[in-house]
Amino acid sequence: MSVTAARGFQAAGVAAGIKASGRRDLALVRNVGPSRVAAGVFTSNRFKAAPVVWSIDALAGGELDAVVLNSGGANACTGADGLADARDTATVTASVLDSSPDRIAVCSTGLIGVRLPMDAVVSGVKAAAAELSEAGATAAAEAIMTTDTVSKQAAAASEAGWSVGGMAKGAGMLAPALATMLVVLTTDADLTAEQADAALRAATRVTFDRTDSDGCMSTNDTVILLASGASGVAPDAEEFTAALTHVCASLARQLLADAEGASHDIAVTVVNAATEDDALDVARAVTRSNLFKTAIFGNDPNWGRVLASAGTSRATFDPEQVSVSFNGVKVFDRGGLGEDRSLVDLTPREVVVEIDLAAGPEQATVWTNDLTYDYVKENAEYSS
Amino acid sequence: MSVTAARGFQAAGVAAGIKASGRRDLALVRNVGPSRVAAGVFTSNRFKAAPVVWSIDALAGGELDAVVLNSGGANACTGADGLADARDTATVTASVLDSSPDRIAVCSTGLIGVRLPMDAVVSGVKAAAAELSEAGATAAAEAIMTTDTVSKQAAAASEAGWSVGGMAKGAGMLAPALATMLVVLTTDADLTAEQADAALRAATRVTFDRTDSDGCMSTNDTVILLASGASGVAPDAEEFTAALTHVCASLARQLLADAEGASHDIAVTVVNAATEDDALDVARAVTRSNLFKTAIFGNDPNWGRVLASAGTSRATFDPEQVSVSFNGVKVFDRGGLGEDRSLVDLTPREVVVEIDLAAGPEQATVWTNDLTYDYVKENAEYSS
């Protein structure tokens, strides 16, 4: 279901010949309305890939008819030629969908610095358009996979009569990340462009933006929300944001669970911070520590590495009042030794590290994974 | 020679029984004058180890009679008890050297969160004091090793009649780093406390501060300069700073060359930046990218990962004007594809990555190493 869980959407995924493997590599998601409201968030990397530059412009009007996505090539750092390729992709998509290019978003993922095989892209767009249907969501989700081992899909429904669906790709290397996180979210709720934008920013801020696999930021990351209005229901803003956040959180968890080489999923939760920004600052410092992440790989509840990372933060706290727990065992208690580290069991895949700053009422969680031999192997051998 | 290359110094290194291995683990460096000027720089981590807290206080007066260093235990995150241990270490050292505790700096390296075996420390200090001599420099350098495979020593001499020597420990994990970088520098130049402090800050700013093995900052990092004045020569400030920088650079290179699991030494040089800070900002972003560092491990001149890292920086530059070279081959040329990446040979251990921002006259280099299986292995298995 995923992107077609909400009414008013069709999807397709085909093998266009962009990937050497012959697997599906081109996806279309079309909004058949009645509304075509859209919103997007993009990588903040200054080396933005051509499709990101294109899609930011396309979204300026607050409406989209479709999103066309390819794997097998990122079309990043490809200069003016690459931008022409992104425009041509939108143009052919608009042509077969009876739309206009500036109502088509383009997403690409794969190798940086390589031009797309445009003949394959053009024929793939035509083939995908011919297959568009409500049944095409899984094929679309598969067509955007690169080193992903499984497709990522999620959906949620409101008792008020509207739904939210989504698909994502990304296999670790998220910050959001260099191997590119692409996400398409759909809803049949009736939204204004402003409502869609506000809900999308609120949902991504606490989900994808707090998922940090390896601290590396992609040139291509894109999250797009399409709203068809097909339910005829204008949702309660708070309920809609909650549902959208739920779908984003599910997709973000699926991305981390499939992270390259990871053997542990780690939630770093900072509690009792003076501000939410302080909590985030400490959590990000810990989740970016290679020493912390290799310790978790070694099933070692190494609170010293947690403290050493937290100590690089500028957040308000008194080092003498900080406590650290691993999976509920408080191994460092208000500046001194706590329970014995041998009580901590880190063999399960899920690890929860809680850092209590004893400095206020706020909290935040950042999700990451461990640093393993397989992460090094995949990223030493895969040229992205 | 190292710390006794300059006149007016004695050193010793003994096996005090702090390390389970029975290797040397306690070092003394004594300044016999006539001057006892000293300066220090320390980790900026907010979780400062007890010896760091102690030594910062000891250096407030701008003079030290000796530095006592141990491996086998970091005495970090050990609370008030740990601070008492650092004070007791300084007290026993002062007692046997006929000094006072507030003129003794203390440095520790090893596991975080474990109390030092003070009986062993006390007897070790007494044994080391009995062995103090100009011939003890290498034993002292060996006594501060942890996962280091070789001791690190360096020296330089001026035609004006003064010398600079130094020893260091640290095996990767430098930013300066969690496994702790300890450095003792000595000179027989005649310096005021202000001159010593200014020269030390200038030298460490462009050497140890620009050596970033894995982005992790230690709780114990310490660099101390002792000046005996035994040459009777007040040096030219510029020449002295240059010589001190030379010794620091040599020690920093030795630290990186011995970095845990590394197979490449990498210099990331950013040229034509608007400001030195801009150049540093970009260089640090690249040297902290796990994807870049795994690519170098795989002998892959992956300029896409260099750009993606540079793109997270706030430095002034136009992405369309940036160029990137690997070992002299310009693979990305002013925003577009450059020479073929197959021309780059990354099999030598030394790798130079140059990023041309085309934005001004400034430049900076940061040194790092690659991210390897062995890094993960050592840090997953070693509890620091």
Side-chain angles (χ1 to χ4, degrees):
Chain A
M1 296 286 283
S2 74
V3 288
T4 57
R7 283 160 288 177
F9 293 94
Q10 301 170 337
V14 300
I18 308 168
K19 281 180 180 166
S21 67
R23 293 180 182 232
R24 287 195 173 105
D25 51 17
L26 192 135
L28 268 180
V29 180
R30 182 188 200 183
N31 183 352
V32 295
S35 168
R36 264 78 171 200
V37 159
V41 295
F42 299 91
T43 179
S44 55
N45 201 300
R46 292 169 62 188
F47 287 97
K48 287 179 169 58
V52 170
V53 173
W54 174 267
S55 297
I56 289 172
D57 280 353
L59 269 162
E63 294 204 347
L64 289 175
D65 289 337
V67 183
V68 54
L69 312 94
N70 74 275
S71 53
N75 194 11
C77 304
T78 44
D81 292 337
L83 202 54
D85 291 342
R87 185 183 60 237
D88 291 349
T89 304
T91 301
V92 66
T93 306
S95 164
V96 296
L97 298 184
D98 198 19
S99 174
S100 66
D102 63 355
R103 297 175 62 86
I104 308 292
V106 182
C107 301
S108 298
T109 178
L111 281 179
I112 292 178
V114 179
R115 296 278 304 278
L116 289 176
M118 287 305 294
D119 286 352
V121 170
V122 168
S123 61
V125 167
K126 290 174 181 172
E131 291 192 15
L132 279 169
S133 78
E134 291 182 17
T138 294
E142 289 171 1
I144 57 176
M145 290 164 61
T146 52
T147 56
D148 306 66
T149 63
V150 292
S151 69
K152 288 88 179 176
Q153 307 179 55
S158 164
E159 292 184 358
W162 49 264
S163 294
V164 176
M167 67 178 186
K169 71 81 48 181
M173 305 203 290
L174 306 160
L178 189 54
T180 306
M181 180 186 69
L182 299 181
V183 183
V184 178
L185 303 162
T186 55
T187 181
D188 48 20
D190 192 15
L191 301 173
T192 66
E194 292 69 29
Q195 288 168 336
D197 186 69
L200 183 61
R201 288 179 192 284
T204 56
R205 191 179 76 86
V206 295
T207 54
F208 298 116
D209 286 352
R210 295 188 184 179
T211 302
D212 190 339
S213 168
D214 68 358
C216 294
M217 183 194 290
S218 168
T219 50
N220 289 55
D221 287 327
T222 300
V223 184
I224 288 177
L225 169 64
L226 306 173
S228 69
S231 70
V233 180
D236 173 75
E238 197 169 321
E239 188 192 354
F240 180 74
T241 299
L244 191 67
T245 303
H246 175 80
V247 169
C248 289
S250 170
L251 291 172
R253 287 300 188 92
Q254 292 177 55
L255 293 177
L256 264 191
D258 197 25
E260 290 172 343
S263 67
H264 288 89
D265 298 338
I266 310 169
V268 175
T269 297
V270 176
V271 300
N272 297 322
T275 66
E276 187 182 359
D277 280 350
D278 274 6
L280 260 183
D281 191 41
V282 171
R284 288 196 195 282
V286 174
T287 56
R288 290 193 177 169
S289 163
N290 282 350
L291 291 175
F292 165 70
K293 290 163 61 147
T294 49
I296 299 297
F297 172 50
N299 292 336
D300 173 13
N302 196 313
W303 54 265
R305 295 182 182 176
V306 172
L307 293 178
S309 306
T312 66
S313 151
R314 297 181 179 279
T316 298
F317 64 81
D318 173 359
E320 302 289 317
Q321 294 301 316
V322 171
S323 302
V324 177
S325 300
F326 280 77
N327 286 351
V329 180
K330 193 180 286 188
V331 286
F332 189 72
D333 193 359
R334 293 195 172 244
L337 296 181
E339 295 186 75
D340 195 281
R341 59 200 287 158
S342 68
L343 298 174
V344 180
D345 179 11
L346 291 183
T347 53
R349 185 174 176 103
E350 301 286 329
V351 174
V352 177
V353 177
E354 185 175 284
I355 303 159
D356 183 340
L357 297 184
E362 301 298 332
Q363 71 169 63
T365 298
V366 174
W367 292 270
T368 188
N369 44 251
D370 52 353
L371 177 57
T372 67
Y373 301 136
D374 286 347
Y375 174 89
V376 174
K377 180 176 168 63
E378 293 203 31
N379 290 297
E381 295 180 356
Y382 174 76
S383 196
S384 67
Chain B
M1 296 286 281
S2 75
V3 289
T4 57
R7 283 162 289 179
F9 294 94
Q10 301 170 337
V14 300
I18 308 169
K19 280 181 180 166
S21 68
R23 293 181 181 232
R24 287 195 172 102
D25 50 17
L26 192 134
L28 269 181
V29 180
R30 182 188 199 182
N31 184 350
V32 295
S35 167
R36 264 78 172 199
V37 159
V41 295
F42 299 91
T43 180
S44 56
N45 201 301
R46 292 169 62 187
F47 287 95
K48 288 179 169 57
V52 171
V53 173
W54 173 268
S55 297
I56 289 172
D57 279 353
L59 269 162
E63 295 204 344
L64 288 176
D65 290 336
V67 183
V68 55
L69 312 94
N70 75 275
S71 53
N75 194 10
C77 303
T78 42
D81 291 338
L83 202 54
D85 291 342
R87 184 184 61 237
D88 290 349
T89 304
T91 301
V92 67
T93 306
S95 165
V96 295
L97 298 184
D98 198 19
S99 172
S100 65
D102 62 356
R103 296 175 63 84
I104 309 292
V106 182
C107 303
S108 299
T109 178
L111 282 180
I112 291 178
V114 179
R115 295 280 303 279
L116 289 175
M118 286 306 294
D119 284 353
V121 170
V122 169
S123 61
V125 167
K126 292 175 180 171
E131 291 192 15
L132 278 169
S133 80
E134 291 182 17
T138 295
E142 289 171 0
I144 58 175
M145 292 166 59
T146 52
T147 57
D148 306 66
T149 64
V150 293
S151 70
K152 287 89 179 175
Q153 306 181 54
S158 165
E159 293 182 357
W162 50 264
S163 296
V164 176
M167 66 177 187
K169 68 83 45 181
M173 307 203 288
L174 306 161
L178 189 55
T180 305
M181 181 186 69
L182 298 182
V183 183
V184 177
L185 302 161
T186 55
T187 182
D188 48 21
D190 192 16
L191 301 172
T192 66
E194 293 70 27
Q195 288 167 335
D197 186 68
L200 183 61
R201 287 178 192 285
T204 55
R205 191 180 76 88
V206 295
T207 54
F208 298 116
D209 286 350
R210 295 189 185 179
T211 301
D212 189 340
S213 169
D214 69 355
C216 293
M217 182 195 290
S218 168
T219 49
N220 290 55
D221 288 326
T222 300
V223 185
I224 287 176
L225 169 63
L226 305 174
S228 70
S231 71
V233 181
D236 173 75
E238 198 169 321
E239 189 194 355
F240 180 75
T241 299
L244 191 67
T245 302
H246 175 81
V247 169
C248 289
S250 170
L251 292 172
R253 287 299 188 92
Q254 292 178 55
L255 293 178
L256 263 191
D258 196 25
E260 290 172 344
S263 66
H264 288 88
D265 297 340
I266 310 167
V268 175
T269 298
V270 176
V271 300
N272 297 321
T275 67
E276 187 183 2
D277 280 350
D278 274 6
L280 261 183
D281 190 41
V282 171
R284 287 196 196 283
V286 174
T287 54
R288 291 192 176 171
S289 163
N290 282 349
L291 289 175
F292 165 71
K293 290 164 63 150
T294 50
I296 299 298
F297 172 51
N299 292 335
D300 173 13
N302 196 314
W303 54 266
R305 295 181 183 176
V306 173
L307 293 178
S309 305
T312 65
S313 151
R314 297 180 180 280
T316 298
F317 64 81
D318 174 0
E320 302 289 316
Q321 295 300 316
V322 171
S323 302
V324 176
S325 299
F326 280 78
N327 286 351
V329 179
K330 192 181 287 186
V331 287
F332 189 72
D333 194 357
R334 292 196 172 245
L337 297 180
E339 294 187 76
D340 195 283
R341 62 199 286 158
S342 67
L343 298 173
V344 180
D345 178 11
L346 292 184
T347 53
R349 186 175 174 101
E350 300 287 328
V351 174
V352 177
V353 177
E354 185 176 285
I355 303 159
D356 183 341
L357 297 183
E362 301 298 333
Q363 69 171 62
T365 297
V366 174
W367 292 270
T368 187
N369 43 249
D370 53 353
L371 177 57
T372 68
Y373 301 135
D374 286 347
Y375 173 89
V376 175
K377 180 175 167 65
E378 292 204 31
N379 290 297
E381 294 178 358
Y382 175 76
S383 195
S384 69

